[in-house]
Amino acid sequence: MNSFGRVFRITTWGESHGPALGVVIDGCPARLPVDDNDIFNRLKLDVPDQELGTPRGEKNRFQILSGVFDGMTIGTPISIIIWNNDARPESYSGGRDTLRPGHADYTWLKRFGHTDWRGGSRASGRECIARLAAGAIALKILEKFGVSIKSRIIEMAGIEVTDAKSMENARDKALEIGKTGDSTGGAVELIISGLPAGTGSPVFAKLHADLSSAMFSIGGIKAVQFGVGTEVSAMKGSELNDSFDIDKDGEIFTETNSCGGILGGISTGDDLTIKLSVKPTPTVLIPQKTVDIREKKQKTVKYSGRFDMNFVPRIPPVAESMTAFVLVDHLMLSGIIPTTKLQPES
Amino acid sequence: MNSFGRVFRITTWGESHGPALGVVIDGCPARLPVDDNDIFNRLKLDVPDQELGTPRGEKNRFQILSGVFDGMTIGTPISIIIWNNDARPESYSGGRDTLRPGHADYTWLKRFGHTDWRGGSRASGRECIARLAAGAIALKILEKFGVSIKSRIIEMAGIEVTDAKSMENARDKALEIGKTGDSTGGAVELIISGLPAGTGSPVFAKLHADLSSAMFSIGGIKAVQFGVGTEVSAMKGSELNDSFDIDKDGEIFTETNSCGGILGGISTGDDLTIKLSVKPTPTVLIPQKTVDIREKKQKTVKYSGRFDMNFVPRIPPVAESMTAFVLVDHLMLSGIIPTTKLQPES
Amino acid sequence: MNSFGRVFRITTWGESHGPALGVVIDGCPARLPVDDNDIFNRLKLDVPDQELGTPRGEKNRFQILSGVFDGMTIGTPISIIIWNNDARPESYSGGRDTLRPGHADYTWLKRFGHTDWRGGSRASGRECIARLAAGAIALKILEKFGVSIKSRIIEMAGIEVTDAKSMENARDKALEIGKTGDSTGGAVELIISGLPAGTGSPVFAKLHADLSSAMFSIGGIKAVQFGVGTEVSAMKGSELNDSFDIDKDGEIFTETNSCGGILGGISTGDDLTIKLSVKPTPTVLIPQKTVDIREKKQKTVKYSGRFDMNFVPRIPPVAESMTAFVLVDHLMLSGIIPTTKLQPES
Amino acid sequence: MNSFGRVFRITTWGESHGPALGVVIDGCPARLPVDDNDIFNRLKLDVPDQELGTPRGEKNRFQILSGVFDGMTIGTPISIIIWNNDARPESYSGGRDTLRPGHADYTWLKRFGHTDWRGGSRASGRECIARLAAGAIALKILEKFGVSIKSRIIEMAGIEVTDAKSMENARDKALEIGKTGDSTGGAVELIISGLPAGTGSPVFAKLHADLSSAMFSIGGIKAVQFGVGTEVSAMKGSELNDSFDIDKDGEIFTETNSCGGILGGISTGDDLTIKLSVKPTPTVLIPQKTVDIREKKQKTVKYSGRFDMNFVPRIPPVAESMTAFVLVDHLMLSGIIPTTKLQPES
């Protein structure tokens, strides 16, 4: 349940406040150049906005422990460890016996017989750091095959984001509400370009079905849309259908892209577009009613401690990673990305 | 890619215009009473609205070929075959060389090197009949464990559906547009009740991630939402968070249910709610531009033949089936539903 | 648990005395020519020796219900059904309450809460007929890629088989013992030729690990050996190691083949050799002690009814099928056999 | 391909001469007491015989990095890292361009486009250290459910081992041959006691099929036998079949155990017995012919460096680990071992 993928497969481990987190990437072909900078450049995206985001001072010190030798993957599992140098379990102990509303404390209690009072365990956003590390590898593979993934915030704190100015307004709004101790949400869009037509499968391994599962595996995502998404409900077939045309090289293409680059679970070759709705951070610094599981009664609690006013800026890099895992996997399954080696030995 | 599930696992087969379709259910425990009526009652939900839906006159004659003996499952795979008695491949042959806009013809051509001119092959809605048959078994298991799934149309042809009267208006609108040769879409809601708290897993096998993949595996779904869904983007944490309370028996519950019955990928014990956006039928009877793959040029085509004015009414039963597969699987994985036998031998 | 394979995946269903048995083959690429004769020619191998084998008069009437159109696979699951025209459950009812020694009656009772008194259910050798059908497809794929599988009986009824004469002696011995109501076993060898060097994986998906699991999935196999097999225990490294040499085209090869074509779980390019030890048929027509589960006491029983004096001749075709599934799967995983289509559309 | 298991699943990583090796255990239930001693006691079994085995001076310093908190598993993946403090890649560089006979150098070259001249990479016996660590957890779970696994050497250097004296003779023989620079093999037996009747599955996930795959995943195993194994070939059914009897508590049992505790892939409740044939170490210190891949010609080479005269003593602990993984997995699949938590929270 902590693994993702079929032939390109990642397994993540580590709790938010344990000594380290990590990932094992299985199925990466040999002879992909990889160095520490590839990983470093993705890990630094983890908290892109220090004011809105968590003040946790992680340095994200990491090591590649296997699978890479002399700057090149060798076909064995790539194990990457990221040390938690700023884990402070004791800072959470105030809330040890109360279930944090909007968090997974209660559902973990029912599932595993305990809550991890150190701060969310693997239900914490911190878990995603391992996905960022693995994403560096998957994105590098995709790049070699001409596939790129772009993502951006399209809504924050109730304000639509279309340009730099609206982004600034949205951020101001999120900070303003954040200063009252409350949190805000938003929405993110992903655009995948360069994906060959014919990627994906019919029926149960539809490309967008796998992508949706990837997106919902990220904490805080409550809706996933492809193409025009929820708008389809009120459209006519004649409006939604994308006409086909053919260029002078005999390449078929869709004149429009309402379908979001996918028909029947298989890519059309046009941009594949995804929209994610991100909930406001469940931790807020205002009084809330909850249950104390020792005293077995309802209480009003007010948390202090670490607080992301808005974690929407943390979604794009992890959503890109998850998207990349799905794409590499499908491109391997359809034979476009080799599973054994990317180039012969020099 | 035609199998779904981990320990409770279905495999479907069959093309829209082949001789038959079917399903193999693997992992059903022994000693569940099953008879033909269980299957029959689900298959008859396939085309609930003969006016809006396809005029295809399927009788859905079926046989249970294995896994059930003397009215009881025996722990071996349950194979169900549904004969296509109204498959008329020749009725499609007019469009043999043109790619139908909004359909998977083009993407299948790129994936498999051919299009199935007989009418959609396994990208056809007809493929779902096998899921209905298997759903009968999964729903029967869930019923024994007190879990129920209800679904209803909440939007059709652009009209919100809240009661019988608005449903009638929406249907009238869909028929009116349908008579012009155009199609319409809508939206469907599912409500799962009685699911024990603690069902699901953290990280990659989150209950709602698996459910989303199940929902998007159904043709024509373009958005999936849990709980308040897309509304989270503009909400504050203090508004969204559901307070916990405890009853006199010591049972913890959420006072509200904005989270839609899921926190951290694990059920809270409250109703789990899902919303699906359903696209208008891609087949419309009005002229469209597309490409003729023999002549390698763009053409305007106008289809005749079978035509679902609106296929939203066909979504609820298959969405219930897919939901049931995910729930049985997760309840087996968490040990609540036995994997071997449901009762000792009498 | 009734599926086998990763990307080339078969699912079998059906009980020995139900109306039919069958298989769904998922992951077969499009555009492989397949016709009924391919299946027919494999099914007729099921009971190659009517005197030694079961007198069950199966005609093995079958239908390909999906996945093949106009004599060509289309990339969708291939469903094949084989009708049981000679299922006579009533002929077993004498033994309804007694556990047959050497059979799976008792272990099924513990696993599923019942025994299938109709005659072994899916623990019967009859289950293998579905594997023969699917094997026809897998073998046809392998043939296109130059890989062949040969198998032969190397021991029967305690007599080593090296040529036609010793085969005749062994068969006479088996018949002689069979006429006393007792059964005999034997051993089978498989030789795989033409497998490209580099097929397989390190660690847990070693080629021979997957092959062993395939072989032991066949009823009655109690030992599996690769290369010189059990002889390694008493050999020295200097005797066992195969020296490498290189030919004038730069191709490396092993001068000998003690390793049986596998080193480190990956093929060397030389013949891959497997030996299987096959137990005598558990059904014998002489008195045996067992337990009556209704009367809950030990009894001496003497079975009549169908009886394979020796089922070793039935092992080669099913062992070839299982071997073929493993090889196709691994050759797809290493990119040598395409997963989507075998040739472009004509 | 570096993961093993269905619901109890381990993933190993690390090369023989990289900085570390490790394992991630996914699916371990919460609330199993685990401490460093559990791991330590298994790791120290790695080289039980310093004279016969490798002189590599590993301290096997390890850390449990996740999944355990306050001495108790918490239901999240357990990540264990074992540092290589005695990795000396440079000591191998003499043989950098020559393919070691009997090793996986050549097959890796074909699979991954390179050989790992540092000494076997993941084809090295060193890879098993991660399996020993994970085995500590699996064995501890089994112990709670009354299942024990014993293993012992039954043959070494061509001498059958039945008691302490024959073991001594065999070891002397292995040392004597070892001192000439040559290596020897042997055989190992495993006996599993306390396994509940009804564990396992029919058809493709037969308990012994999974066990065989587990055993062959260990480097150097060339034959696997269950019960009387290869002897079945020459036995009659009346000799092999184990009679059933019933005790006064109504428990059914087999009077003998020729079947080795398994019928139809499902356990009988009696001891399950496995025999493994272990090849002699491929590295020998006497001249061998092989190919130099730079010079592209055959050469005679004589290795020096680390050398296991006989690695049979290293097989029992890793075979016990692999057996334990299969058993925990099957006992979880049949609902006997819980997947979520082993005990409620105190």
Side-chain angles (χ1 to χ4, degrees), chain B:
Chain B
M1 306 305 190
N2 292 279
S3 294
F4 185 86
R6 291 180 182 83
V7 289
F8 183 85
R9 191 171 174 88
I10 64 156
T11 301
T12 68
W13 56 268
E15 294 91 43
S16 175
H17 290 81
L21 301 107
V23 64
V24 182
I25 305 159
D26 199 5
C28 181
R31 308 203 61 74
L32 174 77
V34 166
D35 66 29
D36 281 1
N37 275 328
D38 294 318
I39 311 299
F40 179 79
N41 290 334
R42 291 298 296 176
L43 294 193
K44 77 182 182 199
L45 300 178
D46 185 34
V47 187
D49 188 322
Q50 290 285 345
E51 203 172 354
L52 275 181
T54 181
R56 180 166 170 169
E58 281 301 343
K59 297 226 166 46
N60 286 330
R61 192 167 54 85
F62 70 92
Q63 285 170 270
I64 304 175
L65 291 169
S66 68
V68 177
F69 183 58
D70 275 353
M72 199 71 96
T73 60
I74 57 175
T76 58
I78 301 169
S79 174
I80 304 173
I81 188 169
I82 303 118
W83 299 96
N84 275 335
N85 66 314
D86 191 34
R88 288 176 299 178
E90 68 290 356
S91 72
Y92 282 85
S93 58
R96 191 162 180 156
D97 295 336
T98 53
L99 302 170
R100 292 171 301 159
H103 279 282
D105 296 350
Y106 171 59
T107 54
W108 276 56
L109 178 65
K110 297 302 278 191
R111 177 74 159 89
F112 295 114
H114 68 94
T115 60
D116 191 332
W117 53 265
R118 293 175 296 170
S121 189
R122 283 176 67 68
S124 161
R126 179 71 185 151
E127 178 268 333
C128 288
I129 196 73
R131 310 196 201 184
L132 291 201
I137 307 287
L139 287 164
K140 200 155 187 192
I141 297 173
L142 289 177
E143 196 187 2
K144 280 186 97 72
F145 290 86
V147 181
S148 71
I149 304 171
K150 298 259 175 309
S151 64
R152 62 185 195 91
I153 296 170
I154 55 172
E155 185 179 341
M156 186 187 270
I159 293 176
E160 196 188 353
V161 174
T162 53
D163 58 12
K165 180 147 182 48
S166 54
M167 184 69 235
E168 204 180 319
N169 293 343
R171 190 171 174 277
D172 287 348
K173 184 76 179 294
L175 281 170
E176 182 194 316
I177 293 171
K179 279 165 191 162
T180 70
D182 214 341
S183 64
T184 51
V188 165
E189 184 186 60
L190 286 115
I191 300 180
I192 300 154
S193 304
L195 189 64
T199 307
S201 277
V203 190
F204 298 122
K206 289 188 163 98
L207 182 57
H208 64 301
D210 281 359
L211 284 167
S212 78
S213 158
M215 296 301 110
F216 279 117
S217 78
I218 304 167
I221 305 300
K222 299 299 281 187
V224 170
Q225 307 178 50
F226 294 92
V228 297
T230 57
E231 290 175 32
V232 292
S233 302
M235 288 174 84
K236 294 183 196 171
S238 61
E239 291 167 336
L240 181 66
N241 285 348
D242 300 302
S243 297
F244 288 108
D245 201 353
I246 187 165
D247 67 18
K248 56 189 173 197
D249 300 324
E251 278 304 307
I252 294 168
F253 61 95
T254 51
E255 292 184 337
T256 49
N257 189 17
S258 300
C259 67
I262 293 189
L263 287 172
I266 304 172
S267 63
T268 63
D270 205 337
D271 284 358
L272 198 156
T273 57
I274 316 175
K275 266 181 284 185
L276 314 177
S277 302
V278 186
K279 79 177 193 183
T281 321
T283 300
V284 293
L285 308 184
I286 55 180
Q288 298 180 94
K289 284 189 291 178
T290 187
V291 166
D292 184 302
I293 56 176
R294 300 283 157 202
E295 301 180 14
K296 293 188 192 305
K297 65 177 190 187
Q298 201 185 40
K299 276 198 177 169
T300 296
V301 294
K302 186 171 171 299
Y303 292 100
S304 52
R306 286 168 182 170
F307 165 59
D308 279 287
M309 293 176 184
N310 184 302
F311 69 91
V312 177
R314 300 181 73 173
I315 297 300
V318 65
E320 289 173 7
S321 290
M322 293 305 302
T323 300
F325 303 147
V326 173
L327 297 181
V328 171
D329 201 42
H330 273 273
L331 288 166
M332 282 181 165
L333 283 168
S334 60
I336 289 173
I337 297 181
T339 52
T340 55
K341 48 185 176 275
L342 291 180
Q343 44 177 303
E345 189 164 21
S346 56

Side-chain angles (χ1 to χ4, degrees), chain A residues 7 76 198 202 332-335 339-340, chain C residues 7 76 198 202 332-335 339-340:
Chain A
V7 289
T76 58
M332 283 182 165
L333 283 169
S334 60
T339 53
T340 54
Chain C
V7 291
T76 58
M332 283 182 165
L333 283 169
S334 60
T339 54
T340 55

Side-chain angles (χ1 to χ4, degrees), chain D residues 40-55:
Chain D
F40 179 79
N41 289 333
R42 292 299 295 176
L43 295 192
K44 76 181 182 199
L45 301 177
D46 185 34
V47 188
D49 189 322
Q50 291 286 344
E51 203 172 356
L52 275 181
T54 183

Side-chain angles (χ1 to χ4, degrees), chain C residues 239-282:
Chain C
E239 292 168 335
L240 181 67
N241 285 348
D242 301 302
S243 297
F244 289 107
D245 200 354
I246 186 164
D247 67 18
K248 56 189 174 196
D249 300 324
E251 279 302 308
I252 294 167
F253 60 95
T254 51
E255 292 184 337
T256 49
N257 190 18
S258 301
C259 67
I262 293 189
L263 287 172
I266 304 172
S267 63
T268 62
D270 205 338
D271 284 358
L272 198 155
T273 56
I274 316 175
K275 265 181 286 184
L276 313 178
S277 303
V278 186
K279 79 176 194 182
T281 321

Side-chain angles (χ1 to χ4, degrees), chain A residues 319-339:
Chain A
E320 290 173 7
S321 291
M322 293 305 304
T323 300
F325 303 147
V326 173
L327 298 180
V328 171
D329 200 43
H330 273 274
L331 288 165
M332 283 182 165
L333 283 169
S334 60
I336 289 173
I337 297 181
T339 53

Side-chain angles (χ1 to χ4, degrees), chain C residues 95-117:
Chain C
R96 191 162 182 156
D97 295 336
T98 53
L99 303 169
R100 291 171 303 158
H103 279 281
D105 296 349
Y106 171 59
T107 54
W108 276 56
L109 177 66
K110 297 302 279 190
R111 178 72 160 89
F112 294 115
H114 68 94
T115 59
D116 192 332
W117 54 264

Side-chain angles (χ1 to χ4, degrees), chain A residues 44 84 105 202:
Chain A
K44 77 181 182 198
N84 275 335
D105 296 350

